[in-house]
Amino acid sequence: MAGHEFADAHGRQGRAPRIQGETVTSPATGATGAPDLPDYAPVPAIAKGAALNEHGYHVWQVERNLYAVTDNVYMSAFLTTPDGVVIFDAPPNIGHNIRRAVDEITAANGLTNQVTHMVYSHHHADHQGASSLFGGDIVRIGHEETRRLLLRDDDPARPVPDVTFSDSYTLEAGGERVELAWHGPNHSTDNIYIHFPDHDTLMFIDVVNAGWIPIYNLNLSDDVIGYSGAPAIALDYPWTHLISGHLGRVATREDVAMHQQYIADIEASSREALASVNPGPIFKHYGENVWAAVSAHLDAVTERAAAPVIAKYTGVLGGADIEIFTRTTTFAIMQSLRLDRGPSGPVHP
């Protein structure tokens, strides 16, 4: 969206801010001909990922025979067993490198590289779009809502799960046990918790970003209240390692606590802004143009709420100074405060 016309969260037309590292076509270029992109704060150490190999991936042992693979943007995981390999998510960004990582690890350990099972954390194509690379002769497992949504989407890159569940499911394969559970909507209606009780690990996707803030609108999440409450559910599980689906390292419990504080700060700041920004003069100014008044009021509340959070976390979490990320997340939380939790405003006398 860099430099292109867009409609913002309030329906107002404008030009989208450019995001760090995005390729743009624009007449504004530097002396070398490179795009004239904005500068951002250095990436803090907490946000830095792994060194990638010549194929563009990094694979490492999380615990025993559980491995994670990343391209420093997306993350997948797999279990190696004497009977075969179980893959957890197949992001197309990593694509064939998932197979390369599986082959590398199984060859080093004298195990079969045959993939027998695949678990879907949720239905989104950015996490499952390479699933079809592993063929049809495997067992695919996901939530019943994942099946419904994939049948709706009719995407050959994401074959529909063969095995589904509503609340919980225990996967047993090659002598290993994995507990799958659904605790309500969060990032998506079908996003599940994948617990490896014998590996001290939880896999939970698209809520916490290790060392980074969420991108637009709480990582493009469907349910604000579910998203905000999900980290507490994750912390109720016993684990040391959290595979969160994005960026270049496995998260810790401290990362989850930092994420919770970031969201709590936005919520507190949004409550303060809702209470302190007076819509009266704005609506008086715009008169019969009600939508202009609504836009100006919500813009003012969002700006007031987001500014101190951006200042607090710049240099602490990666991406905190990409202001549109915090502003859109703030807008989503502020709207949820108004619409889901209330009160939305004073009652007319």
Side-chain angles (χ1 to χ4, degrees), residues 41 79 86 105 108 137 139 251 266 276 285:
L79 272 174
V86 183
I105 296 300
D137 192 23
V139 178
I266 291 177
S276 61
H285 173 80

Side-chain angles (χ1 to χ4, degrees), residues 101-159:
V102 166
D103 290 350
E104 173 187 338
I105 296 300
T106 54
N109 290 288
L111 293 168
T112 176
N113 68 350
Q114 179 65 46
V115 176
T116 59
H117 297 75
M118 178 170 289
V119 175
Y120 293 173
S121 65
H122 64 306
H123 72 288
H124 285 163
D126 65 325
H127 288 275
Q128 313 307 337
S131 175
S132 62
L133 297 181
F134 297 91
D137 192 23
I138 65 174
V139 178
R140 290 181 167 83
I141 304 165
H143 190 261
E144 60 187 16
E145 180 73 354
T146 301
R147 178 179 173 82
R148 184 188 72 81
L149 291 166
L150 289 180
L151 285 170
R152 177 202 68 181
D153 295 347
D154 192 25
D155 179 4
R158 293 174 285 161

Side-chain angles (χ1 to χ4, degrees), residues 79-111:
L79 272 174
T80 60
T81 81
D83 297 338
V85 177
V86 183
I87 293 178
F88 301 85
D89 281 0
N93 264 47
I94 308 177
H96 289 278
N97 279 338
I98 300 172
R99 166 54 72 187
R100 292 186 181 98
V102 166
D103 290 350
E104 173 187 338
I105 296 300
T106 54
N109 290 288
L111 293 168

Side-chain angles (χ1 to χ4, degrees), residues 242-284:
L242 176 68
I243 298 170
S244 61
H246 281 284
L247 304 160
R249 68 174 177 85
V250 170
T252 65
R253 299 182 79 88
E254 291 74 21
D255 288 318
V256 177
M258 176 73 81
H259 168 88
Q260 287 177 302
Q261 187 60 57
Y262 172 81
I263 297 298
D265 286 345
I266 291 177
E267 182 171 325
S269 191
S270 295
R271 289 186 185 276
E272 187 279 330
L274 282 167
S276 61
V277 175
N278 180 8
I282 298 172
F283 276 81
K284 183 177 179 180

Side-chain angles (χ1 to χ4, degrees), residues 183-187 193 204 207-208 218 223-236 256 259-260 263 267 341:
H183 295 296
N186 46 77
H187 166 67
Y193 299 72
F204 182 52
V207 174
V208 176
L218 307 99
D223 190 303
V224 172
I225 293 178
Y227 174 97
S228 298
I233 297 173
L235 288 172
D236 280 342
V256 177
H259 168 88
Q260 287 177 302
I263 297 298
E267 182 171 325
R341 286 169 276 191

